[in-house]
Amino acid sequence: MSPLASDSGVALIFDEGQEGRANRYVDAGASLDAFLPKALLRDDLPLPDNSELDVVRHFTRLSQRTFGIDLGFYPLGSCTMKYNPRINDAMANLPGFRDLHPYAPDELSQGALQVMYELERSLASLFGMAAFSLNPSAGAHAELAALLIAKKYFKDRGETHRDKVIVPDTAHGTNPASAAMCGFKVISIPSDARGRVSVDEIKKVLGPDTAVCMMTNPNTLGLFEDHVHEITAAVHAAGGLMYYDGANANALMGNARPGDMGFDLMHLNTHKTFTIPHGGGGAGHGPVGVAAHLIDYLPTPVVVAKQRSNGDASTAPSDRLTFTLDFDRPKSIGPMRSFWSNFAHAVRALAYIYANGAEGLKKVSALAVLNANYIRVNVRDVLTTPYDEICRHEFVASAQELKKETGVRALDIAKALLDRGFMAPTMYFPLIVPECLMIEPTETESKETLDVFIAALREIVATAKTDPQSILDAPKNTVVGRVDETRAARHPDLRWHPGKP
Ligand SMILES: Cc1ncc(COP(=O)(O)O)c(C=O)c1O
């Protein structure tokens, strides 16, 4: 019997099902036969036979067991968990977008292509790049796309000996992973005492084998890499390319542009910066951007606009254009995803950009920075803040001292926050900060929410000093208590399979 049955009191035999229990509102066999070739249909699919009601209850119960941005404060550093405005979903659900077939010809898809074109143009202008491809479906996917572009670019120049990718030690794990997956050798560069990547160390490893230097700015400590111009100049002088990891773009919209900092390649996590719902492995959206000399290498298809022959000068510029999907790009690395990738996310991102406008987006970043600093200055007397200066959209605190004094670690603080109704901050990342808590509030939270979070954090630290066991035993108020972290990490069992107890 499913474990859900025992804690809910509902006799739900979800995992095994009961033969003949499934509701047959639709004769699936007959209707599928009409659409799918017989060879693609299986009759041996061992799924549990459940009624629709059992299935609805199962998933509703699971949704109630989890925590989401619509339930409470979610300060998960580097993940930019901000409110997802419902207008974005309303736009993505417009029937003309929602029901459009991916094989529909360009002439019947003009509205959708215009959305992709206007999003691409907006991102290029906001981030100072020559062009973007909306094709990749997440940050890591876009990193891979960018490194494939770099690889092809060097191959075309006869520089296949460029096989090293430089990555600061504060980088997200996907940076070295993408580089290794692309066949590059990774060189990790230490940060200096100010939490910035060491320029001297980068200069030491530059040479004729340098392919790409990957940077996140602000970095994952929430600090602006203020030597970025010196680094881009040195890497370019060595013949390498600069890559900008835009996961932290929420800190700088309208205030600084990677293109102006000298980056040749970049990605955005529109599912973070541009309010697309994410988490739990859901569909993401990772546009990859390039400077002019790399445009030909972008993944296909790229949306291009042509002037309409009968264009009326009194209409909006985009109404005087026709849009096509260009697949004919001989130097392209090819598609990273089928069809138009996660098109609904492009609609959401553009809706967010147009709802805010240029000034609004600038304010978004300013408020994100203000909120992070507000929490930082209100907790720095109870938790160590190793880089004690004005941060950008996030900051890191360390529970190292508290651990020495009380045995309470960053992990325990995180669990205690769950008990108090908050999602935990990102923990133990970046790796260079011991007992790290990385806190990113985003601009969408009110001062009142920040105040109760600050009060909770202070109370947890105070309790750790008087009654550490109560923090070590947390969480007590959540549906699932403390789990075996090692087993969960080493032997994750995330798939349903027949007969699973
Ligand atoms: C700094 C940084 N780079 C890259 C990524 C990877 O992005 P994604 O999760 O969309 O693959 C993340 C994700 O959290 C990140 O924080």
Side-chain angles (χ1 to χ4, degrees), residues 315-472:
T315 55
S318 52
D319 293 338
R320 280 179 255 139
L321 302 172
T322 51
F323 306 93
T324 42
L325 285 174
D326 187 6
F327 289 88
D328 186 19
R329 301 202 152 209
K331 287 191 171 182
S332 162
I333 58 163
M336 298 292 291
R337 268 292 307 270
S338 53
F339 300 114
W340 305 359
S341 192
N342 291 328
F343 169 70
H345 283 353
V347 180
R348 291 184 176 97
L350 189 65
Y352 178 70
I353 289 174
Y354 283 173
N356 281 284
E359 280 310 307
L361 292 176
K362 199 171 172 178
K363 198 168 163 199
V364 160
S365 288
L367 288 175
V369 171
L370 182 66
N371 279 359
N373 279 290
Y374 183 71
I375 301 182
R376 184 181 62 82
V377 297
N378 279 292
V379 300
R380 68 178 162 184
D381 59 327
V382 295
L383 284 170
T384 316
T385 44
Y387 305 98
D388 202 17
E389 60 172 285
I390 291 185
C391 63
R392 301 297 131 191
H393 64 302
E394 66 193 9
F395 72 98
V396 294
S398 169
Q400 176 85 328
E401 292 305 314
L402 190 70
K403 182 178 156 191
K404 277 190 207 145
E405 199 184 323
T406 66
V408 167
R409 302 156 298 163
L411 175 83
D412 306 311
I413 295 178
K415 300 287 184 198
L417 280 168
L418 300 182
D419 254 352
R420 287 151 181 83
F422 303 101
M423 183 61 189
T426 296
M427 297 176 296
Y428 299 98
F429 173 70
L431 303 175
I432 60 170
V433 176
E435 295 299 329
C436 183
L437 288 168
M438 184 209 253
I439 299 174
E440 178 183 7
T442 85
E443 73 287 354
T444 55
E445 300 298 334
S446 65
K447 178 176 176 296
E448 290 73 22
T449 300
L450 303 185
D451 283 335
V452 283
F453 176 73
I454 290 164
L457 212 44
R458 298 183 69 88
E459 179 263 309
I460 290 167
V461 174
T463 307
K465 292 182 180 172
T466 52
D467 178 15
Q469 196 55 45
S470 69
I471 305 295
L472 297 174

Side-chain angles (χ1 to χ4, degrees), residues 78-79 138-140 143 172 174-175 216 220 245 247 267 269 271-272:
S78 203
C79 291
E143 289 170 26
H172 194 260
T174 50
N175 286 194
T216 310
T220 60
D245 176 333
H267 88 258
N269 304 61
H271 51 272
K272 297 181 180 181

Side-chain angles (χ1 to χ4, degrees), residues 70-114:
D70 293 340
L71 267 180
F73 185 46
Y74 210 125
L76 198 65
S78 203
C79 291
T80 313
M81 304 300 290
K82 51 167 130 174
Y83 173 63
N84 315 127
R86 296 305 187 258
I87 183 80
N88 298 354
D89 287 334
M91 294 299 108
N93 270 311
L94 288 174
F97 293 143
R98 190 193 57 209
D99 301 339
L100 192 59
H101 195 281
Y103 276 136
D106 289 353
E107 55 278 21
L108 296 181
S109 319
Q110 285 297 296
L113 296 183
Q114 183 170 343

Side-chain angles (χ1 to χ4, degrees), residues 464-500:
K465 292 182 180 172
T466 52
D467 178 15
Q469 196 55 45
S470 69
I471 305 295
L472 297 174
D473 288 343
K476 293 269 190 216
N477 304 327
T478 52
V479 185
V480 177
R482 216 173 254 235
V483 293
D484 181 339
E485 307 273 341
T486 313
R487 195 159 160 249
R490 297 225 172 125
H491 305 287
D493 186 5
L494 308 173
R495 292 178 56 200
W496 178 85
H497 33 87
K500 187 173 156 182

